Amino acid sequence: NAGVFVVDLERWARHHVLEHIEDLVRKKDACNEGEFFAGGSQLLLLMALYTAKDGLAQEIAEFKSCWNLAGLGYRTKFGNCTLEHSNILHWSGAAKPWLPDGLYRHMWQPHREHYDELIA
């Protein structure tokens, strides 16, 4: 998946996206063993957004790739400039930063420390 999904809730409601997704889920449930929707929930969401009525598909904005730097749990070929200038750091992959052998722990640790302060 792309890893980042931002919604304007007023626009979502105005275009009745929830009802459209619920309709697609009912259709999915009617399929034999769900084979048609083997891709999981992301396929349903994309179908709902791109088949919605009232021009919703024309209102979808795509963020530039620099917003979501994915692969931090397995990729090791990033320049520091890329890491430091990305807006969202996405630890897709097995080497999560909270694990002892996690990658890019130095980028994650300040956020973890802030979270600890919030729940203390």
Side-chain angles (χ1 to χ4, degrees):
N1 72 45
V4 178
F5 180 69
V6 180
V7 176
D8 176 334
L9 293 176
E10 291 176 2
R11 184 175 290 159
W12 184 278
R14 187 171 58 249
H15 287 281
H16 307 283
V17 176
L18 176 61
E19 293 86 349
H20 190 49
I21 291 172
E22 289 171 341
D23 183 54
L24 288 172
V25 169
R26 280 190 290 278
K27 289 176 181 175
K28 171 211 170 288
D29 289 344
C31 290
N32 291 336
E33 301 178 22
E35 291 178 21
F36 182 70
F37 294 94
S41 61
Q42 185 168 349
L43 177 59
L44 285 171
L45 181 58
L46 290 172
M47 287 178 65
L49 295 176
Y50 283 100
T51 61
K53 296 176 177 47
D54 303 326
L56 179 63
Q58 287 76 33
E59 295 184 37
I60 295 173
E62 184 175 334
F63 288 103
K64 293 181 180 180
S65 61
C66 64
W67 271 86
N68 180 28
L69 183 60
L72 293 173
Y74 67 92
R75 291 175 58 191
T76 58
K77 303 283 186 193
F78 292 111
N80 283 335
C81 182
T82 302
L83 285 169
E84 293 171 3
H85 292 96
S86 295
N87 297 295
I88 298 171
L89 301 177
H90 186 178
W91 270 268
S92 50
K96 306 294 187 197
W98 51 87
L99 298 174
D101 61 344
L103 296 175
Y104 308 104
R105 292 175 58 90
H106 69 284
M107 298 295 292
W108 172 78
Q109 192 61 41
H111 302 285
R112 173 60 200 200
E113 290 168 1
H114 178 70
Y115 173 79
D116 287 343
E117 292 172 9
L118 291 174
I119 62 170

